Amino acid sequence: MPTQEYPNNPNINTKEEEEQVISLKDILEMIAARWYWFVLSAIVCIILARIVISTIEPTYQQNSMVLIKEDDKKGDSNGSTQAFLQLSGLSSTNEIENEPYVIKSTPLVQEVVQNLHLNVNYRKWKTLRYEELFNETPATVDFVGKYYKDVSFAIHPLSASMCKIYKFEISDPTYGVSKIEYEKTVPYFVPINTPAGRVIIKPTGQVPIDKFNYDLYVSRHDIGKTADAFKNELSTSLEKNTSLITITCEDKNLGRAQAILKNLVDIYNKYTIEDKNKVAENTAKFIDNRLKMVSQELGAVDSKLANIKSRSKIIDFEDGAQEYLTESSAAKTNTVELQTELSVANYIRQYLNSTANRNELIPDLQGKDDLAASNQITSYNEAMLQRNRLILNSSPSSPVIADLDRSIAAMRTNIKSSLYANIRSIQIKLADAQSAEGEINSKISSVPETEKTALDAKRQQEIKAAIYTFLLNKREENALQLAITESSAKVIEPPYGSTAMTSPKRSIILLASFIIGLAIPFGILQLLAMLDSKVRGRKDIEDNTTVPILGEIPASSKSDDQEKAFVVDKTSNDPVSEAFRLVRSNLSFMNKNAKVIMFTSTTAGEGKSFVTRNLAVTLAMSGKKVILVDTDIRKATQTKIIKHANDFSNRIGLTNYLAGTEEDLDKLVQKNDDESGFDMLMSGPIPPNPAELLMSERLDFIINKLREQYDYVIVDNVPAQVVADATIVNRIADITIYVIREGVLDRRYLPELEKLHQTGKFKNMSIIINDCHMEKKGYGYGYGYGYGYGYGYGYGYGIEDQKSSTFDKIMSVFTKHKRHHKHHHRN
């Protein structure tokens, strides 16, 4: 219990040692106190979320997995080329790593759009949104004319005529952004000129024509823009350390997503086959040209040899030079092979040196006797094909293309160097073979000159025949390769995926809406608590002042208490009566010798007069002799309430004594009645100079006389911050009780109240908190008003003020939860 000594509170305006937080229990109790707000908010948010979900078009996801097969003809050339590029300071990109980008390139997607006619869109209205149609569309539209602008219109089916001819109605066409007034009825399969262009409507058979009973909305868009839109729906990923590529398509129609994936893989395979065939076709063209030239040269040699034999009438030259021919057989065979290799190498070298063939594929002449650069030519052709595929989806200045161009240039230089070294090696070997053959020829000088000429012609014939045979074999191999060319991609997993939509995420949206529904009232209550600057209970006063709190008067639970002058009587055991009894008990501990008790407040409307008269009743019920003095001589509020009178012009009271017009105290004092139990000195007629009258020594004299006659003199004064009367009258008081009403006084005024206390402007100041909004906290918690009586009133009794505002109830939810942390150690 507070005593008469009031030491300074070291916790005022300083950070509390124990930080105030809202625990989970506080939150749950706050929700329980206003559970219907949270339930209503959650239900509204969930309903709104379901409405929003119904307006969003669902999206479905389908996947397909393909295996990219590598070319088996690479051999070791790829490693050699990679090593050469690294030594040259260049980098080469793995072909597999580029394929995910090639698969979803713009040319391929555009062809998918053209094949599936995706630039023509079909929709129908479904409750709150449009639904995309693909295989489910009951009719399709063929646009005969070229595309110029986006067009759209609606198709409304009509009932069949007597001849069972089904008709439809076209309406609401839009050309570009302009809407055109148009409406026409025509049958199926009949071309019709519309503002949207010339069109033909055909039934698909997917939906029975008699079930077509809704409006079908048709729109046509640019193929390029449509391809860009569907390209954004596609994604590709290369599985780590494998040649497997996963293709994903997210679309608003499940069947359309599956069709896009299947068609995309088919088109990709078609493109890869075309790329491979380009090498074979270029090689075939080169071989045909060389065959034509070699055939002419071989015919000339055959004619020369036939002429020699005809002139010399010789059928076989082997009999005369059999011995020398046997010796030179190996040397001649070696010479023929070397000349063949040298001829082929020179053909390739001439082809590479030609400016017109710079960006063309190099003929692949690898066969039984491979050239040294044959493997490098294979790698070069693969790199050139890769560049041609990538440049379809990007510009020549892109980093990937630039990197490939540098790699191809380096490979072309490498091939030229290899060919040059190969040619030099063949030339050296050929010179050695020819030298050996020359030595043999010198030995057969005895052979007739005609035979020597014939032998030379025969040797040329054999060389040309070998070259011609090689080219014929290569042409057959190339034709076979062209016939058996297979695709690069093998479908491992056809389009698959869940039939459930991937977005919107119903469960996530509903859960989020439920959480938001709970958060909205919580946030509103928290915001209102943050914006509220009113005093919300004992803790606010204790945190900002050192003024002792004499007691707390709870808000009345009776709706008619507002109309009554007194709410306390001897037989009443309600929380308000018990609160006044507790104040009476605390008052006796403060100062047993105090007789004159002055009541004041900050402003009007804080219940000062209510507390004053009911405390007077409570003191009188304890057997004390009590008088209530109404010193509010400006308005006489207390007198009006107790005596139920508004006109005091003819009724005597305090002002009569202060003015000296009445000296008899017995005439001034109104004796107690059965209702109040105390005497009363009314204010009297309202004077023109109230402050001067209160400053008169006569006030001290009359109060001293009352001290002698009564146990308690209760002085009801004016609010302290309205006029100076309270300060003037306080000189005669032993105790000053400052009434603060919860939810009325601004907390920012409490430091000023502390100054009044510290400076002693009001004698022995203490505070009564009026209109407290209690709540259930369990018996024995906080400051129970029924301690010792067995009622358990107070914070543990759960009283609600029926006349309090909704805002006050909201504030009490937050402020009351934070009060209990330090109540005990503050007292």
Side-chain angles (χ1 to χ4, degrees):
M1 289 298 176
T3 63
Q4 196 170 0
E5 298 296 329
Y6 313 116
N8 292 336
N9 189 343
N11 293 324
I12 293 179
N13 297 325
T14 63
K15 185 176 181 180
E16 307 248 356
E17 294 179 1
E18 181 183 354
E19 188 170 345
Q20 301 298 317
V21 296
I22 299 179
S23 65
L24 177 61
K25 181 180 178 182
D26 295 332
I27 295 175
L28 293 177
E29 289 176 347
M30 181 270 292
I31 294 175
R34 297 291 184 270
W35 62 270
Y36 44 87
W37 287 14
F38 291 88
V39 172
L40 178 61
S41 177
I43 292 175
V44 170
C45 287
I46 290 176
I47 292 174
L48 291 177
R50 292 186 66 87
I51 294 174
V52 171
I53 291 173
S54 299
T55 61
I56 301 175
E57 291 189 72
T59 301
Y60 302 90
Q61 178 176 302
Q62 293 290 293
N63 304 301
S64 182
M65 184 175 290
V66 296
L67 173 67
I68 304 300
K69 296 178 287 187
E70 299 186 35
D71 197 343
D72 295 333
K73 297 190 301 179
K74 290 183 179 179
D76 188 52
S77 63
N78 197 28
S80 303
T81 304
Q82 294 286 347
F84 174 77
L85 293 176
Q86 291 177 0
L87 291 175
S88 304
L90 301 174
S91 62
S92 177
T93 305
N94 189 349
E95 181 181 357
I96 299 298
E97 295 178 355
N98 293 326
E99 295 310 303
Y101 302 96
V102 176
I103 288 176
K104 57 174 292 187
S105 61
T106 300
L108 269 66
V109 178
Q110 283 186 348
E111 190 163 342
V112 171
V113 171
Q114 290 176 335
N115 291 348
L116 300 179
H117 306 288
L118 299 180
N119 60 316
V120 180
N121 188 40
Y122 303 91
R123 298 184 302 167
K124 71 175 182 179
W125 181 254
K126 183 179 180 181
T127 312
L128 296 177
R129 60 174 173 80
Y130 286 101
E131 179 182 2
E132 297 280 346
L133 301 178
F134 183 63
N135 293 328
E136 311 87 355
T137 180
T140 59
V141 179
D142 290 344
F143 288 87
V144 180
K146 292 184 178 180
Y147 169 86
Y148 294 102
K149 289 183 180 180
D150 289 351
V151 296
S152 63
F153 54 87
I155 299 176
H156 179 71
L158 301 176
S159 300
S161 63
M162 296 298 294
C163 299
K164 295 297 182 180
I165 299 177
Y166 288 91
K167 297 183 178 181
F168 61 88
E169 181 181 75
I170 295 180
S171 61
D172 302 327
T174 301
Y175 185 69
V177 296
S178 302
K179 192 170 183 179
I180 304 170
E181 294 294 333
Y182 178 84
E183 188 172 304
K184 191 170 184 179
T185 301
V186 293
Y188 288 103
F189 301 106
V190 175
I192 178 175
N193 292 319
T194 70
R198 188 173 178 82
V199 299
I200 302 174
I201 313 298
K202 301 177 181 178
T204 61
Q206 302 290 340
V207 177
I209 196 168
D210 56 343
K211 301 295 183 181
F212 182 17
N213 53 7
Y214 51 83
D215 288 345
L216 182 65
Y217 299 90
V218 183
S219 58
R220 183 192 192 192
H221 308 281
D222 176 60
I223 291 181
K225 294 180 180 178
T226 305
D228 291 339
F230 281 103
K231 184 178 177 181
N232 293 331
E233 296 182 355
L234 293 168
S235 61
T236 54
S237 61
L238 180 63
E239 300 298 326
K240 189 175 181 180
N241 299 327
T242 67
S243 297
L244 296 172
I245 296 177
T246 300
I247 311 172
T248 302
C249 179
E250 291 187 354
D251 193 69
K252 292 180 173 59
N253 185 282
L254 183 62
R256 186 167 62 188
Q258 296 173 345
I260 289 174
L261 289 177
K262 184 178 182 303
N263 200 257
L264 183 64
V265 175
D266 293 341
I267 294 174
Y268 170 76
N269 283 331
K270 187 188 76 170
Y271 271 60
T272 55
I273 292 174
E274 290 177 354
D275 287 342
K276 291 181 179 180
N277 288 341
K278 286 180 182 178
V279 177
E281 291 170 357
N282 195 57
T283 302
K285 182 179 179 182
F286 176 81
I287 291 174
D288 289 340
N289 291 334
R290 300 311 304 172
L291 278 174
K292 184 177 180 181
M293 295 176 59
V294 172
S295 178
Q296 293 175 352
E297 293 173 357
L298 182 59
V301 172
D302 290 341
S303 298
K304 179 179 179 181
L305 184 59
N307 291 333
I308 292 174
K309 289 183 177 182
S310 176
R311 288 196 306 268
S312 303
K313 297 181 180 180
I314 298 175
I315 298 176
D316 191 0
F317 296 99
E318 293 182 358
D319 293 341
Q322 184 63 40
E323 183 179 352
Y324 298 106
L325 290 177
T326 301
E327 294 178 358
S328 64
S329 177
K332 185 182 298 183
T333 302
N334 189 29
T335 300
V336 171
E337 292 178 353
L338 290 174
Q339 286 179 336
T340 302
E341 290 183 14
L342 181 62
S343 177
V344 172
N346 282 325
Y347 293 158
I348 300 300
R349 185 179 182 184
Q350 292 173 6
Y351 186 87
L352 285 173
N353 290 332
S354 175
T355 305
N357 299 325
R358 181 171 299 275
N359 292 325
E360 298 294 332
L361 299 173
I362 300 175
D364 187 3
L365 297 179
Q366 96 177 23
K368 180 179 178 181
D369 299 322
D370 292 344
L371 296 175
S374 182
N375 291 332
Q376 296 175 354
I377 291 172
T378 301
S379 298
Y380 176 90
N381 288 337
E382 292 173 352
M384 182 63 71
L385 286 174
Q386 181 180 352
R387 176 189 180 276
N388 292 339
R389 288 198 305 271
L390 292 177
I391 203 171
L392 294 175
N393 204 29
S394 59
S395 63
S397 61
S398 69
V400 175
I401 299 301
D403 188 31
L404 277 175
D405 287 341
R406 289 193 297 270
S407 299
I408 290 172
M411 295 170 68
R412 192 179 185 93
T413 302
N414 190 22
I415 292 172
K416 289 181 179 180
S417 300
S418 298
L419 282 175
Y420 178 78
N422 192 25
I423 290 172
R424 291 293 301 161
S425 176
I426 295 173
Q427 287 175 344
I428 293 173
K429 292 179 182 179
L430 182 60
D432 292 341
Q434 289 176 344
S435 175
E437 188 177 0
E439 291 178 1
I440 296 174
N441 288 336
S442 64
K443 295 179 182 180
I444 59 175
S445 57
S446 60
V447 178
E449 188 67 24
T450 302
E451 187 176 358
K452 290 171 59 178
T453 303
L455 288 174
D456 181 68
K458 188 174 181 180
R459 183 170 59 250
Q460 292 296 326
Q461 183 188 41
E462 292 174 351
I463 293 172
K464 299 299 181 182
I467 294 174
Y468 189 79
T469 302
F470 169 78
L471 292 175
L472 286 176
N473 291 335
K474 189 59 186 175
R475 184 172 66 176
E476 292 302 319
E477 292 177 6
N478 190 66
L480 180 63
Q481 180 65 33
L482 188 63
I484 64 174
T485 301
E486 61 179 1
S487 61
S488 297
K490 178 182 179 182
V491 178
I492 303 300
E493 290 282 357
Y496 67 93
S498 174
T499 57
M501 61 184 180
T502 57
S503 70
K505 304 288 187 181
R506 290 179 179 269
S507 57
I508 295 177
I509 293 177
L510 291 176
L511 177 61
S513 65
F514 177 74
I515 295 174
I516 292 173
L518 297 180
I520 288 175
F522 183 84
I524 292 175
L525 293 175
Q526 191 76 311
L527 178 62
L528 292 176
M530 294 172 60
L531 296 176
D532 180 34
S533 62
K534 303 299 182 182
V535 172
R536 293 293 172 187
R538 187 185 197 102
K539 184 179 181 301
D540 288 341
I541 298 174
E542 290 178 339
D543 286 347
N544 293 278
T545 72
T546 58
V547 184
I549 298 176
L550 195 60
E552 297 169 89
I553 309 301
S556 176
S557 60
K558 300 177 181 179
S559 60
D560 58 345
D561 281 351
Q562 287 270 7
E563 307 297 330
K564 297 170 61 176
F566 305 101
V567 297
V568 177
D569 57 55
K570 293 181 180 181
T571 60
S572 175
N573 290 322
D574 61 89
V576 177
S577 300
E578 293 299 329
F580 277 106
R581 292 187 181 104
L582 184 60
V583 171
R584 179 184 65 190
S585 176
N586 291 340
L587 186 61
S588 65
F589 280 96
M590 287 188 64
N591 191 338
K592 293 183 178 181
N593 298 321
K595 286 192 172 185
V596 180
I597 305 171
M598 188 191 85
F599 283 81
T600 186
S601 61
T602 305
T603 60
E606 296 195 61
K608 169 181 60 62
S609 298
F610 168 79
V611 175
T612 302
R613 61 180 177 269
N614 282 282
L615 182 59
V617 172
T618 306
L619 292 171
M621 286 191 306
S622 65
K624 301 295 183 181
K625 191 175 182 181
V626 181
I627 184 171
L628 190 152
V629 181
D630 187 1
T631 58
D632 183 4
I633 60 177
R634 296 176 183 268
K635 292 186 177 180
T637 304
Q638 195 74 271
T639 302
K640 295 177 182 179
I641 295 174
I642 295 178
K643 297 303 179 181
H644 305 289
N646 294 323
D647 185 9
F648 298 93
S649 59
N650 297 322
R651 306 193 69 172
I652 62 174
L654 180 62
T655 55
N656 297 97
Y657 184 83
L658 296 178
T661 60
E662 180 60 57
E663 297 292 339
D664 190 356
L665 185 59
D666 292 334
K667 293 182 179 181
L668 297 175
V669 175
Q670 303 292 321
K671 298 302 180 178
N672 68 79
D673 52 32
D674 293 337
E675 183 179 9
S676 65
F678 59 81
D679 296 343
M680 181 174 181
L681 177 57
M682 295 188 295
S683 61
I686 298 176
N689 56 342
E692 287 73 14
L693 286 179
L694 293 175
M695 293 174 64
S696 171
E697 294 181 357
R698 294 181 66 83
L699 176 63
D700 299 78
F701 181 77
I702 193 173
I703 294 299
N704 288 332
K705 290 183 68 175
L706 295 175
R707 283 175 182 269
E708 298 173 357
Q709 301 177 19
Y710 292 92
D711 295 321
Y712 288 102
V713 179
I714 308 298
V715 180
D716 184 16
N717 212 335
V718 296
Q721 298 300 313
V722 177
V723 291
D725 296 8
T727 306
I728 295 172
V729 175
N730 190 251
R731 71 183 186 274
I732 54 90
D734 296 328
I735 294 176
T736 303
I737 296 179
Y738 204 97
V739 178
I740 295 176
R741 185 172 184 176
E742 184 176 300
V744 175
L745 181 65
D746 197 310
R747 281 196 300 270
R748 292 171 291 184
Y749 174 72
L750 292 178
E752 296 296 327
L753 186 62
E754 174 65 15
K755 289 181 182 179
L756 294 177
H757 174 57
Q758 295 293 339
T759 58
K761 196 170 184 179
F762 290 109
K763 293 181 180 179
N764 297 330
M765 181 188 295
S766 61
I767 293 174
I768 290 180
I769 306 174
N770 185 32
D771 199 26
C772 295
H773 302 95
M774 307 302 178
E775 60 188 359
K776 295 181 180 179
K777 286 291 187 178
Y779 181 78
Y781 176 82
Y783 298 86
Y785 293 118
Y787 181 81
Y789 295 92
Y791 296 107
Y793 297 118
Y795 282 107
Y797 202 75
I799 304 165
E800 292 192 8
D801 180 16
Q802 297 182 6
K803 63 185 179 183
S804 62
S805 65
T806 302
F807 180 79
D808 289 337
K809 294 179 181 179
I810 297 172
M811 294 305 101
S812 66
V813 173
F814 282 93
T815 56
K816 300 294 184 180
H817 283 297
K818 301 179 182 178
R819 290 177 180 168
H820 66 279
H821 294 288
K822 296 185 178 178
H823 278 181
H824 295 288
H825 76 265
R826 285 195 178 277
N827 287 309

